[in-house]
Amino acid sequence: MALGDLMSTRFSHSSVPVSNHLDECSSRDEDGGFRRDLWETASSSSGGGGVYGNVVMSNMTSTIDTGVTSMAYLPQTVVLGELRHDGFEASSSSQPAEVGFVSKWRPKDRMKTGMVALVVCLNITVDPPDVIKISPCARMECWIDPFSMTPQKALDTIGKALSSQYERWQPKAKYKYRLDPTIEEVKKLCTYCRNLAKNERVLFHYNGHGVPKPTANGEIWVFNKSYTQYIPLAVRELDSLLKTPSIYVFDCSAAGNIVNAFLELNDASSSSGSLRDCILLAACEAHEDLPQSPEFPADVFTSCLTTPIQMALRWFCTRSLLRELLDYSLIDKIPGLPNDRRTLLGELNWIFTAVTDTIAWNVLPHELFQKLFRQDLLVASLFRNFLLAERIMRSANCSPISHPMLPPTHQHHMWDAWDMAAEICLSQLPSLLDDPNAEFQPSPFFTEQLTAFDVWLNHGSEHKKPPEQLPIVLQVLLSQGHRFQALLLLGRFLDMGSWAVDLALSVGIFPYVLKLLQTTTPDLRQILVFIWTKILALDRSCQVNLVKDGGHTYFIRFLDGLEAYPEQRAMAAFVLAVIVDEHRQGQRACIEADLLRVCLKHLQASTPNDSQTEPLFIQWLCLCLGKLWEDFTEAQLLGLQADAPSICASLLSEPQPEVRASAVFALGTLLDVGFDSSRDSMVGEEDFDDDEKVRAEISIIRSLLGVVSDGSPLVRAEVAVALARFASGHKKHLKEVAANYWRPQSSSALSLHVAHARSASSDPCQYMPQASIIASQIGPLVRTGVEGTLFARDGRTSAGSPLATSGVMHGSPLSDDSSQHSDSGASHDAASNGLISISRPKPLDSVLYSQCILGMCSLAKDPSPRIASLGRRVLSIIGVEQVVARPLRSSSVGIRNGAPSTSAGSNPVGIARSASWFDMHAGMATAFRTPPVSPPRANYLKGMRRVCSLEFRPQLLNSTDSGLADPVLGGSSSNVERSFLPQSTIYRWSCGHFSKPLLTAPDGSEEQLSNREGREKVALDLIAKCQHYSVSKLNNQIASWDTKFETGTKAALLLPFSPVVVVADENERIRVWNYEEATLLNSFDNHDFLDKSISKLCLVNELDHSLLMVASGDGNIRIWKDYACRDEQKLVTAFSAVQGHRPGGRGLNVVVDWQQQSECLYAAGENTSIMVWDLDKEQLVNSIPSSDSSITALAASQVHGGQFAAGFVDGSVRLYDTRTPDMLVSSTRPHTQRVERVVGIGFQPGLDPPKIVSASQAGDIQFLDIRQQADSYLTIDAHRGSLTALAVHRHAPIIASGSAKQFIKIFSLKGEQLGTIRYYPTFMVQKIGSVSCLTFHPYQVLLAAGAADAFVSIYADDISPQR
């Protein structure tokens, strides 16, 4: 039975906001997992958009004709809202806690009481001189009447009884007692016990009923040899003999005097700096006498401590309604054993333990509770019973005291629960004694307490008082009858958060659930796996206990079983991953238990891209394998023999980024880094042929290179980490290949290299930067001499190095005198980078090394700052470093500040070869600075010229400190090298999933649903108004804003539900402005790279928490959240949609458009393919061949998902639909009068089959209907050779076109010119430059226009007021 089946009623009425992409994967949660039964709440949201459609449309039918306005206009998808998009750039990750946090719940030092010294001073028949006894008075000692036999016999009997009473609580301790001893006998006893106990605790019990009260100085009394005198024994002397750790029990009148003396002794010791572990239990205060009522035994304090059930029931009977039915003789005959919970005595003992534990846990500070109730079994039992002593003795006006001091507990309400349970149990006692065959009926105590715990779970939270029943739940786990329900409730409690797990661990749940792993009950498996998932998500140090007790085999069997749902087996995989995480014993134990075979078997059984396959399960199988292989050569070789690389590589095309990243992580851990500490002791390496290992490594690298340009930064980060491992093991060979690339070579040799590297990937959906594209970006090679003068080599532009991509690197495999030292770099590899590897991997194909270097360069230029930082670290491993460029003197450079360094049409960034940085600082102790996460800001680089050289120091390879990255890597320790390697984050990040609630809906879901419904209602109302929009001139300027852009406004975007406009200039500066209040909300740079060009601004998730998509001219996409809050913008994700595109080439930028319905981004550049990216999967899903000419305009339908139109440089227009097999729907060339490129294209509003509006640079606007498959049905000559921008309203029947001649024209869809906007932005009535961008508001008739000047204007119809 599934855990969720048992809890389904708990969450069946929960409501959550509509989930993203739920039409495709009907029950995927936000972390890539499926909730099915286990996550009932999330499954209830699988209706997707229907939830919103029914709610909103029912409210709108009275005012809106659904035949005109449909929910089809409002996409029901949400993207980029998963956990992986929150804080990736900040590298935040949740992970199991380290040992520092564990100390809060795990006892620091387990303690055991090894010796018990019992000192009984009764002197029967002789009363102490300072005690006046009443008549009748209490006489019983250890439930024995000392006057019922001879004094000596009574004394011996009492001593033996006291010893046996203590032995029940600690049977393994050694007991010694002295009866009416002399002072010498007490001293010998103390010395003997301490010597035998060594470092264990010693208990000293003192019964002083036959001697005078302790003195105010803290002296107890014993006898002389002739029993004629009382001899004092000072507490100080007693303490010096017993030492610490120790516990004292003083059962005598005025026992508080002893406690006070001990406290003074402790104060003196603490002032001297010594710490003492001393616990005291005393029967009464310094001014009090012991109770003498015959209702109590004479040793009532000892009786409470050692025989609590008998004492509690005797005291209870005199106060209960059952007092007429019960007497003391019946209580002494209670059947059963204390340890048998099926009997009356066992039930009472069990309830008493649960009640006293609960009182202590709820009253005491957690640290004190741990010390007194969880550190030592005997101490815990005594303190539980001490709570009873306080309750009983306070009724006789006597106050037991302790050190550490406890707060009063005698009136705690749990004592009422004990009284009721005791009464119910005792009511059965007469019948049980009369009929030996009568069956005992258990008390409803535990059932009622579990019900109370269930009620708390329904209403409790982290901010409320913790559930007081938690210790009772722990006790219930001991009962087979209540265990299942208790585990379910415990699982629900642990799911509330890490605070709940910590509370459960602090109460002592750990040993109980560890012991339960030895059970074979099938019903407990799923809930136990869930509970252990929650525990290990908080504290991974439990891995040691699991391996020690063989618990890992329990989870391997569960993982291999088929009775559980995949998401539950994913938890088992998580537990096993934690067990083997940086734990060599765990790795070995799991290898021996056949974990590798189990994981690979289930990975092979899962069909890629199968909607029935659980992504979370696949993800954690990969992570578990990666942790099993990590730095463990024996496991790596077993994985290679089992063909693990090909199994994991098949997952690199999975739609979930988490699965792909986990597969990359697993593949990366199979790579040999060259310094595995387990290599020397590993056996069986010779069994695996070197050639097979090389082939496996080649297969892994090729698989990794196939996803080096994955759309998810999460995946690319893992690729960078894996390539770093590869680079560490192949530094020598990678350096040689890099050096060969840098050598002067003929054009034919270069072509050969490029041709080889171009074969890196043939799958268009897993494309990587092709060598031809990379090589095309290599700018003119400029050589920098020592004096800083620039000159070109042979006056020609060299493209000999694929490393010189956009100038991201500094440092080269060859220095300027490379011809003299080129061979030395290959001959001293043993000490390269200043590190000695234990073994060198066998060299691979040089073409593969070339492709690896290209991949590393691609990562170093990644639009994500974090990935770029990782890429630079990978390059530094092979000796290529990026450093901050230093400004060159203008006299030597000959270039003015701000001027481009190269002519237009060539790469603006030169690749300069400089004298060695190390040589320039020879003899200086130079501290290496780690490359920054992101390049320096533009204002810092102003007036600088980026000098990117490849720097190599072969002359230093003879020394052990040599190598390009030696200031970073310095030293020959493998630990130093390992610490420099970038570390994977996918495992730590993925652990955060299990730290979050898995059984309940996320917080704020109702609020999100309400906000979305409100926006949909507003949007539908506005759409209806737009559709009935009447003719207007649209020339009322309601706002004008000076953006202060030096290069003019290149892109603009109006937000749908707030009076905000977002604009960007050519330098990719983003500014957000409230046009109603005329206030600047935020301003930031899209990135800090030097190559800048803006393509488009788009809004993602406009009906929810919207994100700003900024498309750069080079094809890089960056998506921001919180962009309208000053200085709070955060980068959600970034990737390169069209790699290898050179912005500015032939005046063309990459063109993109976003389609919310299909969750797809369409992008195209100079190449002849249109890239289709699924932003939900963060994956390239299609590469559509377009034509031989470049695409200059792109528009996606906002109604029909999968449809988009493209305009080309030759004036042709094509319509595509990704849902059709051929994808190309129609192709036409409407702009024939004068062949100019298409500068604007868009879909006409409406739900009919798409009609398209296309505008060319020549000035003509064409209206196309794809159903006619002919030329345009309407042509407008809007501008004569000067059209620069086109905007088509999404819902209103109007379009707008902008001209280079400073005016904008408004047209209806019938071709009628509605008006002309003359662009007069200033009070001087001065005309400005050409219109550069136009955009309509998505739901209102508002037009935003930007031009070559710094002004942005917003226009409305004549009715709208001036703003």
Side-chain angles (χ1 to χ4, degrees):
M1 184 177 292
L3 174 63
D5 294 334
L6 300 163
M7 298 185 177
S8 59
T9 57
R10 301 286 319 124
F11 315 111
S12 58
H13 300 294
S14 302
S15 61
V16 295
V18 63
S19 178
N20 51 330
H21 53 267
L22 288 174
D23 290 332
E24 290 186 16
C25 301
S26 61
S27 56
R28 185 190 311 168
D29 72 352
E30 67 177 4
D31 295 327
F34 284 74
R35 298 197 173 184
R36 276 199 196 96
D37 298 323
L38 185 62
W39 285 267
E40 182 78 10
T41 308
S43 298
S44 66
S45 67
S46 61
V51 176
Y52 291 119
N54 296 333
V55 173
V56 179
M57 291 308 297
S58 64
N59 296 332
M60 299 297 297
T61 50
S62 60
T63 57
I64 298 177
D65 182 5
T66 57
V68 178
T69 303
S70 169
M71 288 299 294
Y73 289 120
L74 303 180
Q76 302 302 314
T77 58
V78 180
V79 297
L80 303 177
E82 278 78 1
L83 180 65
R84 65 179 180 270
H85 302 116
D86 188 13
F88 173 81
E89 291 298 332
S91 189
S92 62
S93 63
S94 302
Q95 55 182 307
E98 301 299 333
V99 178
F101 185 80
V102 175
S103 62
K104 294 182 179 180
W105 71 266
R106 191 187 292 271
K108 296 179 181 178
D109 297 308
R110 285 285 181 185
M111 190 67 68
K112 184 176 75 172
T113 301
M115 285 296 302
V116 178
L118 306 175
V119 175
V120 180
C121 298
L122 293 179
N123 198 12
I124 300 173
T125 71
V126 178
D127 291 334
D130 58 349
V131 174
I132 301 175
K133 292 188 177 181
I134 63 174
S135 180
C137 69
R139 299 172 58 176
M140 305 289 285
E141 298 278 355
C142 294
W143 305 110
I144 297 171
D145 185 355
F147 297 99
S148 64
M149 57 190 80
T150 61
Q152 187 59 43
K153 183 178 181 181
L155 186 62
D156 292 340
T157 305
I158 291 170
K160 291 178 182 178
L162 180 61
S163 178
S164 64
Q165 287 175 189
Y166 267 110
E167 284 180 16
R168 181 192 163 226
W169 304 105
Q170 180 58 287
K172 295 183 179 180
K174 296 182 179 180
Y175 293 84
K176 291 288 182 181
Y177 56 86
R178 292 292 181 266
L179 308 176
D180 290 348
T182 64
I183 189 170
E184 289 79 10
E185 290 175 335
V186 174
K187 291 181 179 179
K188 288 181 181 179
L189 175 66
C190 293
T191 304
Y192 171 81
C193 288
R194 173 46 63 197
N195 292 338
L196 205 62
K198 298 181 180 179
N199 294 326
E200 294 179 344
R201 195 187 304 275
V202 175
L203 184 146
F204 181 84
H205 178 101
Y206 175 73
N207 182 325
H209 297 170
V211 293
K213 300 175 185 178
T215 66
N217 294 329
E219 296 169 317
I220 61 174
W221 298 94
V222 290
F223 303 97
N224 64 356
K225 292 183 179 180
S226 59
Y227 294 96
T228 58
Q229 288 182 332
Y230 298 111
I231 307 299
L233 175 60
V235 165
R236 184 181 298 274
E237 189 174 4
L238 185 65
D239 179 71
S240 65
L241 295 173
L242 287 176
K243 303 178 182 178
T244 59
S246 56
I247 177 171
Y248 297 87
V249 178
F250 296 103
D251 188 354
C252 57
S253 296
N257 286 331
I258 311 174
V259 175
N260 294 335
F262 261 105
L263 294 179
E264 294 177 2
L265 191 62
N266 276 344
D267 292 340
S269 300
S270 60
S271 62
S272 62
S274 60
L275 298 177
R276 304 174 54 78
D277 183 3
C278 182
I279 299 174
L280 301 168
L281 296 174
C284 58
E285 296 276 9
H287 61 278
E288 295 176 342
D289 292 329
L290 294 178
Q292 295 188 25
S293 170
E295 175 188 1
F296 303 106
D299 63 344
V300 57
F301 186 61
T302 300
S303 297
C304 288
L305 294 182
T306 57
T307 56
I309 301 300
Q310 189 174 0
M311 188 67 232
L313 294 180
R314 280 173 171 261
W315 182 79
F316 172 73
C317 281
T318 61
R319 291 159 176 78
S320 170
L321 296 175
L322 301 176
R323 59 180 176 270
E324 297 180 358
L325 301 176
L326 301 174
D327 56 29
Y328 291 163
S329 62
L330 289 179
I331 291 177
D332 294 336
K333 298 177 183 178
I334 292 178
L337 298 173
N339 297 328
D340 187 356
R341 290 181 292 274
R342 296 170 296 179
T343 63
L344 176 56
L345 183 58
E347 176 90 355
L348 287 169
N349 184 65
W350 186 26
I351 296 174
F352 178 81
T353 302
V355 168
T356 50
D357 244 15
T358 301
I359 294 174
W361 189 74
N362 283 282
V363 170
L364 300 183
H366 282 184
E367 291 185 3
L368 185 58
F369 177 82
Q370 289 288 332
K371 178 181 179 180
L372 300 182
F373 287 82
R374 293 295 180 262
Q375 196 178 58
D376 187 318
L377 290 178
L378 181 57
V379 172
S381 300
L382 291 178
F383 268 93
R384 286 192 196 99
N385 303 339
F386 178 81
L387 301 182
L388 174 69
E390 184 191 18
R391 186 192 191 202
I392 291 178
M393 296 181 71
R394 276 184 179 268
S395 69
N397 298 319
C398 188
S399 302
I401 58 176
S402 67
H403 174 74
M405 184 175 65
L406 304 185
T409 60
H410 61 288
Q411 293 181 334
H412 197 279
H413 65 87
M414 282 303 296
W415 286 121
D416 297 331
W418 158 254
D419 291 342
M420 182 177 179
E423 192 168 65
I424 292 174
C425 291
L426 289 178
S427 64
Q428 304 180 53
L429 182 56
S431 60
L432 291 174
L433 293 176
D434 293 341
D435 183 6
N437 297 324
E439 184 177 353
F440 168 67
Q441 297 298 324
S443 165
F445 171 80
F446 289 105
T447 302
E448 293 169 352
Q449 294 299 319
L450 289 179
T451 302
F453 187 44
D454 190 7
V455 172
W456 187 95
L457 290 175
N458 293 334
H459 305 284
S461 69
E462 180 180 5
H463 308 292
K464 295 183 179 181
K465 183 181 177 181
E468 64 180 21
Q469 298 82 13
L470 201 56
I472 298 177
V473 175
L474 181 146
Q475 290 294 325
V476 171
L477 295 180
L478 300 172
S479 170
Q480 191 169 358
H482 297 287
R483 182 177 297 158
F484 187 61
Q485 183 187 3
L487 285 174
L488 287 177
L489 295 175
L490 179 62
R492 286 177 52 198
F493 177 68
L494 299 182
D495 192 56
M496 299 181 77
S498 298
W499 63 272
V501 181
D502 185 48
L503 276 180
L505 290 173
S506 68
V507 83
I509 211 80
F510 181 78
Y512 291 78
V513 293
L514 182 63
K515 189 73 173 178
L516 286 176
L517 293 180
Q518 300 176 9
T519 65
T520 57
T521 307
D523 291 343
L524 300 182
R525 291 174 185 169
Q526 296 172 9
I527 183 59
L528 276 177
V529 169
F530 182 84
I531 288 173
W532 272 103
T533 297
K534 288 297 180 178
I535 292 175
L536 289 176
L538 175 77
D539 175 19
R540 76 169 186 176
S541 71
C542 301
Q543 61 186 182
V544 178
N545 304 83
L546 283 170
V547 174
K548 182 179 178 181
D549 288 19
H552 61 285
T553 58
Y554 186 91
F555 298 100
I556 294 177
R557 289 195 301 269
F558 185 88
L559 180 66
D560 199 22
L562 299 177
E563 67 277 2
Y565 286 123
E567 64 268 18
Q568 295 165 338
R569 286 189 285 159
M571 297 180 192
F574 162 75
V575 171
L576 291 166
V578 175
I579 289 176
V580 299
D581 180 25
E582 299 179 4
H583 186 212
R584 185 50 51 86
Q585 288 82 2
Q587 288 175 312
R588 293 189 185 278
C590 288
I591 283 291
E592 293 173 0
D594 214 12
L595 175 61
L596 178 62
R597 179 194 61 81
V598 171
C599 290
L600 292 177
K601 180 184 76 172
H602 288 290
L603 281 181
Q604 286 179 298
S606 62
T607 305
N609 301 309
D610 183 3
S611 61
Q612 300 301 319
T613 303
E614 171 54 62
L616 187 66
F617 182 41
I618 302 175
Q619 174 186 348
W620 275 102
L621 285 176
C622 293
L623 293 173
C624 183
L625 285 173
K627 284 297 175 180
L628 185 64
W629 292 327
E630 193 172 43
D631 302 327
F632 189 26
T633 305
E634 180 180 350
Q636 292 171 1
L637 293 179
L638 291 174
L640 295 178
Q641 292 172 351
D643 197 26
S646 63
I647 297 174
C648 293
S650 65
L651 303 173
L652 297 180
S653 60
E654 284 286 291
Q656 298 80 18
E658 296 89 349
V659 174
R660 301 198 301 273
S662 302
V664 171
F665 168 72
L667 289 171
T669 55
L670 282 173
L671 292 173
D672 188 2
V673 295
F675 45 76
D676 186 0
S677 58
S678 68
R679 185 183 305 278
D680 294 337
S681 60
M682 194 267 306
V683 293
E685 183 174 3
E686 62 277 1
D687 298 337
F688 194 65
D689 186 76
D690 282 346
D691 291 337
E692 294 181 15
K693 189 174 181 180
V694 168
R695 284 194 293 271
E697 200 163 38
I698 290 175
S699 172
I700 293 172
I701 291 301
R702 286 178 174 167
S703 299
L704 295 177
L705 293 177
V707 290
V708 76
S709 299
D710 191 275
S712 171
L714 195 67
V715 179
R716 300 198 303 276
E718 295 306 312
V719 173
V721 172
L723 288 180
R725 292 176 61 90
F726 176 75
S728 178
H730 294 258
K731 289 188 296 289
K732 166 193 171 183
H733 313 296
L734 285 167
K735 286 180 181 179
E736 290 177 351
V737 171
N740 290 333
Y741 269 117
W742 196 249
R743 287 194 182 98
Q745 53 189 298
S746 64
S747 59
S748 60
L750 173 63
S751 301
L752 182 60
H753 278 300
V754 172
H756 280 305
R758 186 180 297 137
S759 61
S761 176
S762 59
D763 186 356
C765 292
Q766 294 190 21
Y767 83 165
M768 62 168 288
Q770 302 297 323
S772 57
I773 299 174
I774 296 293
S776 67
Q777 299 182 48
I778 300 170
L781 183 62
V782 183
R783 181 169 183 173
T784 306
V786 178
E787 300 300 325
T789 56
L790 300 176
F791 54 92
R793 179 189 298 170
D794 300 330
R796 296 176 306 198
T797 298
S798 171
S801 173
L803 303 177
T805 55
S806 297
V808 295
M809 289 158 296
H810 182 81
S812 165
L814 282 182
S815 61
D816 283 345
D817 49 356
S818 59
S819 59
Q820 302 176 24
H821 301 284
S822 59
D823 293 332
S824 62
S827 60
H828 302 287
D829 61 284
S832 65
N833 274 352
L835 297 155
I836 304 298
S837 296
I838 292 177
S839 67
R840 283 291 177 183
K842 190 173 181 179
L844 308 179
D845 185 7
S846 61
V847 174
L848 186 63
Y849 286 131
S850 304
Q851 295 171 355
C852 284
I853 296 173
L854 294 178
M856 296 173 188
C857 294
S858 175
L859 292 171
K861 298 191 307 172
D862 198 276
S864 165
R866 182 178 166 194
I867 307 300
S869 176
L870 290 172
R872 292 191 294 268
R873 289 183 66 182
V874 176
L875 287 173
S876 68
I877 294 175
I878 64 170
V880 181
E881 302 173 25
Q882 178 177 2
V883 297
V884 178
R886 294 184 294 276
L888 301 178
R889 294 190 298 271
S890 58
S891 59
S892 61
V893 178
I895 300 175
R896 293 177 298 175
N897 290 346
S901 58
T902 57
S903 60
S906 64
N907 187 0
V909 179
I911 306 301
R913 293 179 61 203
S914 66
S916 170
W917 179 89
F918 186 89
D919 293 340
M920 290 189 292
H921 297 79
M924 299 173 60
T926 306
F928 181 88
R929 294 186 178 181
T930 305
V933 174
S934 58
R937 292 189 173 274
N939 57 0
Y940 178 77
L941 289 175
K942 187 175 180 180
M944 294 184 180
R945 184 182 184 281
R946 183 170 51 178
V947 180
C948 303
S949 68
L950 295 178
E951 156 184 60
F952 191 53
R953 299 190 294 277
Q955 67 271 24
L956 299 174
L957 288 177
N958 291 323
S959 68
T960 57
D961 290 332
S962 68
L964 299 165
D966 56 348
V968 181
L969 302 176
S972 59
S973 169
S974 63
N975 291 332
V976 176
E977 183 169 1
R978 188 188 303 274
S979 66
F980 175 73
L981 288 178
Q983 299 300 310
S984 169
T985 58
I986 180 63
Y987 169 75
R988 300 293 185 207
W989 174 83
S990 298
C991 289
H993 170 77
F994 296 107
S995 299
K996 299 179 181 297
L998 303 176
L999 301 174
T1000 57
D1003 294 336
S1005 56
E1006 294 184 1
E1007 181 181 358
Q1008 295 174 20
L1009 176 61
S1010 176
N1011 291 340
R1012 164 120 190 174
E1013 289 177 348
R1015 289 181 177 179
E1016 286 183 340
K1017 185 174 182 179
V1018 171
L1020 288 172
D1021 191 22
L1022 293 175
I1023 290 173
K1025 292 180 180 179
C1026 286
Q1027 291 174 336
H1028 297 89
Y1029 179 74
S1030 59
V1031 177
S1032 174
K1033 295 182 180 180
L1034 203 69
N1035 57 3
N1036 180 17
Q1037 186 184 71
I1038 62 173
S1040 181
W1041 173 37
D1042 185 1
T1043 63
K1044 309 296 184 182
F1045 287 151
E1046 298 176 359
T1047 58
T1049 305
K1050 296 297 181 182
L1053 177 69
L1054 287 167
L1055 300 193
F1057 302 107
S1058 56
V1060 173
V1061 60
V1062 184
V1063 296
D1065 70 350
E1066 190 65 23
N1067 292 324
E1068 300 193 52
R1069 283 190 290 267
I1070 313 296
R1071 289 181 181 168
V1072 186
W1073 188 56
N1074 185 311
Y1075 52 81
E1076 281 190 350
E1077 301 176 359
T1079 56
L1080 181 67
L1081 301 180
N1082 195 18
S1083 177
F1084 61 94
D1085 289 334
N1086 189 36
H1087 61 83
D1088 292 329
F1089 292 133
L1090 290 184
D1091 294 330
K1092 296 189 176 184
S1093 176
I1094 196 72
S1095 175
K1096 190 169 185 177
L1097 299 176
C1098 299
L1099 200 63
V1100 180
N1101 304 335
E1102 65 181 30
L1103 292 173
D1104 297 272
H1105 186 64
S1106 62
L1107 307 173
L1108 178 65
M1109 177 188 293
V1110 183
S1112 301
D1114 58 1
N1116 288 333
I1117 305 296
R1118 294 173 177 86
I1119 299 178
W1120 301 85
K1121 69 176 181 179
D1122 301 330
Y1123 53 89
C1125 303
R1126 186 175 297 275
D1127 299 327
E1128 293 184 11
Q1129 69 279 354
K1130 297 180 182 65
L1131 187 62
V1132 174
T1133 187
F1135 64 99
S1136 181
V1138 180
Q1139 288 213 347
H1141 181 88
R1142 284 191 301 145
R1146 293 185 291 176
L1148 300 179
N1149 280 339
V1150 166
V1151 290
V1152 303
D1153 202 11
W1154 162 246
Q1155 189 176 65
Q1156 187 77 41
Q1157 284 88 344
S1158 64
E1159 304 170 349
C1160 285
L1161 173 74
Y1162 305 98
E1166 286 182 303
N1167 53 7
T1168 58
S1169 295
I1170 302 172
M1171 303 299 176
V1172 183
W1173 292 87
D1174 188 318
L1175 287 200
D1176 173 39
K1177 302 174 182 177
E1178 297 184 65
Q1179 191 176 36
L1180 181 70
V1181 293
N1182 265 314
S1183 179
I1184 306 173
S1186 54
S1187 71
D1188 295 335
S1189 59
S1190 298
I1191 299 175
T1192 56
L1194 203 60
S1197 171
Q1198 298 304 317
V1199 177
H1200 303 286
Q1203 287 186 350
F1204 66 96
F1208 292 81
V1209 72
D1210 61 358
S1212 60
V1213 173
R1214 292 189 175 190
L1215 178 68
Y1216 297 90
D1217 193 330
T1218 57
R1219 298 168 296 182
T1220 62
D1222 297 333
M1223 297 196 186
L1224 178 63
V1225 176
S1226 65
S1227 177
T1228 181
R1229 182 170 293 183
H1231 305 284
T1232 56
Q1233 297 179 355
R1234 180 181 173 189
V1235 178
E1236 293 282 356
R1237 64 179 182 177
V1238 176
V1239 296
I1241 195 169
F1243 286 82
Q1244 298 182 29
L1247 296 175
D1248 294 333
K1251 294 181 179 181
I1252 299 173
V1253 179
S1254 174
S1256 75
Q1257 190 173 9
D1260 60 313
I1261 301 177
Q1262 305 291 338
F1263 291 75
L1264 308 173
D1265 189 339
I1266 64 166
R1267 293 172 295 185
Q1268 299 179 0
Q1269 292 290 332
D1271 295 336
S1272 58
Y1273 66 86
L1274 178 63
T1275 300
I1276 302 175
D1277 290 326
H1279 308 275
R1280 297 180 180 178
S1282 60
L1283 193 148
T1284 56
L1286 175 72
V1288 181
H1289 200 285
R1290 192 186 297 181
H1291 303 291
I1294 57 172
I1295 66 172
S1297 61
S1299 168
K1301 298 179 180 179
Q1302 305 93 34
F1303 61 87
I1304 301 168
K1305 290 184 178 181
I1306 309 298
F1307 298 94
S1308 70
L1309 295 182
K1310 298 179 180 179
E1312 301 173 359
Q1313 182 172 339
L1314 303 180
T1316 301
I1317 300 174
R1318 295 288 177 181
Y1319 209 38
Y1320 300 125
T1322 68
F1323 69 93
M1324 299 291 293
V1325 196
Q1326 176 184 1
K1327 293 184 179 181
I1328 47 81
S1330 62
V1331 177
S1332 57
C1333 62
L1334 294 172
T1335 183
F1336 279 109
H1337 190 284
Y1339 303 119
Q1340 299 182 45
V1341 184
L1342 294 177
L1343 176 67
D1349 69 348
F1351 282 87
V1352 172
S1353 299
I1354 299 176
Y1355 301 92
D1357 55 29
D1358 296 332
I1359 304 175
S1360 299
Q1362 182 80 18
R1363 295 176 184 173

